[in-house]
Amino acid sequence: MAQAPITIYHWEPNANSGKPMLAAEEKGVAYDSVYLDMLSFDHHKPDYLAVNPNGTIPALRHRDVVLTESTPMMEYIDATFDGPALRPADAAGRWRMRMWMRFVDSYMGPSLSMIGWSIGVGPSVRKKDPAMLAAAIDRIPLESRRIAWRKAIYNEFSDEELAESRRRLIYSVELMEAHLRTSKYLAGDGYSLADIDAFNSCYGLPFFLPDHVSDEQTPAILEWLRTIRERPAVEITWAKARTERGSRLALLDRPGKETAA
C-alpha cells in the first residue's frame, strides 16, 4: 500500500485539529491519521514532543517538513496539493478569507474555547487522579498552556472571564449572521478555507448558545452550517471522532430529517 503523502497528528476533528483534516479531505489528499487523546495528555508525551516540542496540536508532517499552527497549515495543504482550490482566485476574495480566519482565530475562537473548556474539557479531566494531573500539568512545555489547563481542571475561570467570552460570542454571532445574509460563504460565493476554519469552531454553536443560535434567530448561520455539514468531506472527517463531540453534528440536521434506525 502506498504511503500517504502527509501525516496529521490530531485530537477530535473540531476546532484546531479539524482544520487541516477537513482541508485535506476536501482536496482529496490522503493522510495518515495519528489520534492524540488530549484528555489523556498524549500531546505532552515524549513521542509527540519529538514531533512538536511545544506540545500543541495539531501538527502536520510532509516529507521532512513539520508544520504547526492549524490555519497556515490549511494554506500549505491547498498550495501544495492538486484538487479543488480552497482559496479565492481574486485578491479581494483572499483578503475576505484571511480577514474571517483572523477574526475566528483571534477573537471568536478563544471565547468559544474558554466556554468549551469550562463545561467540557475541565469536568472530563478533573475526574482523574490528582497527583497524575499535577504531574501532567508540570510537563506541559508552554507556560500559557499550563495556565489554561490549570484553569480548566481546577475550575478557575472567573465569572467575569466567562461573561466576557459569552458577550464576545454573541457579538460574533450577530456579525456573522449579518454577513451571511448577503453572502453564501464567508469569503463570497465560493467555499474556502475561511469556511473550514470557522465551521470547525462554529458547528457547536447551537449547543453552546441555544438561546442565540437557532432557525428563528440566526437562519443564515444555520443554513451556512448545514450546507457545510452536508459536504461528504465533513462526514468522512467527523467519522474519526471518538468522543461525544462528534455527535454535535446531529444538531445541524435539517428539521424533519429521518435518522437511520
Side-chain angles (χ1 to χ4, degrees), residues 168-239:
R168 288 186 174 212
L169 279 183
I170 293 170
Y171 167 77
S172 299
V173 163
E174 293 171 349
L175 190 69
M176 188 174 287
E177 175 68 15
H179 177 71
L180 289 171
R181 289 190 180 190
T182 64
S183 180
K184 182 177 181 180
Y185 294 108
L186 291 177
D189 293 334
Y191 180 70
S192 76
L193 295 177
D195 301 293
I196 294 176
D197 188 327
F199 180 82
N200 276 277
S201 293
C202 295
Y203 81 97
L205 284 175
F207 173 80
F208 288 110
L209 291 175
D211 295 335
H212 295 272
V213 180
S214 65
D215 284 297
E216 294 72 29
Q217 293 179 281
T218 56
I221 287 178
L222 264 295
E223 179 59 29
W224 170 75
L225 287 171
R226 286 171 178 147
T227 297
I228 298 173
R229 184 261 183 275
E230 291 162 356
R231 296 179 70 88
V234 170
E235 195 72 32
I236 294 169
T237 301
W238 260 257

Side-chain angles (χ1 to χ4, degrees), residues 238-252:
W238 260 257
K240 295 180 172 66
R242 300 186 186 182
T243 75
E244 78 286 349
R245 287 160 184 80
S247 65
R248 291 174 190 165
L249 275 187
L251 295 172
L252 303 180

